């Protein structure tokens, strides 16, 4: 089974419209091949439209633009939230769901992620669903329990068929923004666990086809060894995705 590598940047709360435009114009020509892998950027909600139109201005490059969160309702009295249909309306086609910063800082639960996921699939957005354990979970030997619970909760209601439209990301919370990366063995072990778990929750074929990205202090100098692992199908990159040169380096070695 060949799974096309997927490299996605998560800009978090960085970059305004002008900075997003400058990044995209610099980044696109630095990528050697657009066929070998998929490349996405999850930008701030306020610059979604500008990012989409900048990509189109540069040429016909399949650089995917996405959001970092969404509400499950189409509209309503939810101050500060954006819906899948609003994301879709900007021309963006991807959305990150259940990032650990959303879970830890904003109280997002697996149940919310499951609702958001159903809505994202309804709108035809490509969801990147994040799971991952905290340092405390890992040190108390609970990593696999936590991952299993997150997978059960977040993917409740997902059919075998729709699993094919979902991308997963394993992001150990202790490796995010800390400069500490999971070792390749730790990352591969967690990815293999996730795929094994999916093959019981869904069909083995669906589990074999799903892409699982690694996230947590991925940089140009550690990306290759992580991406070489058999169950690691790409990366979700925070800090290193803010610089077009470093993101392009990672894409070019994927
Ligand atoms: P860093 O690459 O900055 O550790 O962030 C990872 C992340 O949270 C991507 O979603």
């Amino acid at each position: 089974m060949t799974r096309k590598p997927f490299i996605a940047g998560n800009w978090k709360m960085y970059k305004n419209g002008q900075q997003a435009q400058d990044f995209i114009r610099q980044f696109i020509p630095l990528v050697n091949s657009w066929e070998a892998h998929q490349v996405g950027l999850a930008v701030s909600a306020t610059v979604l439209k500008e990012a989409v139109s900048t990509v189109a201005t540069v040429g016909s490059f399949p650089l995917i633009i996405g959001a970092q969160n969404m509400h499950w309702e189409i509209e309503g009295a939810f101050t500060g939230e954006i819906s899948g249909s609003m994301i879709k309306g900007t021309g963006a086609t991807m959305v990150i769901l259940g990032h650990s910063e959303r879970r830890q800082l904003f109280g997002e639960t697996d149940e919310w992620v499951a609702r958001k996921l159903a809505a994202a699939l309804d709108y035809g957005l490509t969801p990147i669903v994040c799971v991952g354990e905290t340092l405390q979970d890992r040190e108390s030997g609970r990593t696999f329990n936590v991952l299993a619970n997150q997978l059960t909760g977040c993917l409740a209601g997902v059919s075998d068929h729709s699993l094919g439209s979902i991308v997963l990301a394993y992001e150990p919370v202790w490796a995010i923004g800390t400069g500490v990366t999971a070792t390749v063995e730790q990352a591969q072990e967690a990815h293999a666990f996730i795929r094994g778990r999916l093959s019981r929750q869904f069909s083995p074929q669906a589990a074999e086809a799903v892409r699982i990205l690694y996230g947590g202090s991925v940089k140009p100098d550690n990306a290759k060894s992580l991406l070489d692992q058999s169950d690691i199908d790409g990366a979700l990159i925070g800090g290193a995705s803010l610089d077009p040169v470093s993101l392009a380096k990672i894409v070019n070695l994927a």
Side-chain angles (χ1 to χ4, degrees):
M1 164 64 62
T2 49
R3 298 179 292 264
K4 197 171 202 178
F6 192 175
I7 306 295
N10 174 8
W11 280 356
K12 308 189 179 185
M13 202 173 73
Y14 291 97
K15 295 198 192 290
N16 61 25
Q18 188 59 52
Q19 291 166 325
Q21 280 195 36
D22 293 345
F23 178 103
I24 290 166
R25 285 187 214 287
Q26 275 187 59
F27 172 70
I28 287 179
L30 296 174
V31 173
N32 294 339
S33 157
W34 290 92
E35 277 82 58
H37 24 56
Q38 275 186 300
V39 187
L41 282 178
V43 305
S44 150
T46 55
V47 308
L48 280 168
K49 199 166 180 181
E50 202 164 344
V52 169
S53 65
T54 306
V55 174
T57 312
V58 178
S60 57
F61 297 94
L63 173 57
I64 299 164
I65 300 296
Q68 302 169 8
N69 179 34
M70 59 176 265
H71 197 279
W72 55 83
E73 294 289 349
I74 184 170
E75 60 184 12
F78 302 107
T79 302
E81 291 288 320
I82 58 167
S83 72
S85 89
M86 291 168 181
I87 295 171
K88 189 94 197 201
T90 67
T93 56
M94 174 181 88
V95 62
I96 295 177
L97 299 176
H99 190 279
S100 63
E101 284 148 20
R102 301 288 327 159
R103 294 172 185 265
Q104 296 206 307
L105 305 173
F106 302 98
E108 196 154 310
T109 64
D110 291 333
E111 195 212 321
W112 288 15
V113 177
R115 289 201 214 176
K116 292 174 181 206
L117 177 57
L121 291 170
D122 275 352
Y123 292 115
L125 297 169
T126 300
I128 302 182
V129 177
C130 303
V131 295
E133 81 286 0
T134 63
L135 186 58
Q136 203 187 7
D137 296 329
R138 181 161 280 268
E139 288 180 340
S140 59
R142 290 185 29 80
T143 296
F144 292 155
N145 289 350
V146 169
L147 294 177
N149 286 339
Q150 289 175 338
L151 291 170
T152 306
C154 295
L155 303 180
V158 170
S159 67
D160 222 66
H161 173 72
S162 48
L163 188 67
S165 310
I166 298 172
V167 177
L168 285 168
Y170 168 63
E171 297 208 315
V173 177
W174 47 273
I176 295 177
T178 57
V180 180
T181 321
T183 64
V184 290
E185 293 80 14
Q186 285 171 324
Q188 166 57 27
E189 182 189 37
H191 281 236
F193 172 82
I194 291 169
R195 201 178 304 285
R197 176 88 197 174
L198 293 175
S199 74
R200 291 191 295 283
Q201 206 172 330
F202 301 91
S203 71
Q205 293 81 347
E208 205 39 44
V210 78
R211 286 175 297 176
I212 309 172
L213 317 184
Y214 170 80
S217 299
V218 176
K219 304 276 183 291
D221 58 0
N222 63 20
K224 178 91 175 85
S225 58
L226 287 159
L227 294 167
D228 278 348
Q229 303 303 304
S230 57
D231 286 295
I232 301 183
D233 308 310
L236 185 55
I237 305 158
S241 76
L242 296 172
D243 171 39
V245 175
S246 84
L247 184 62
K249 273 192 189 151
I250 298 171
V251 170
N252 289 337
L253 46 82

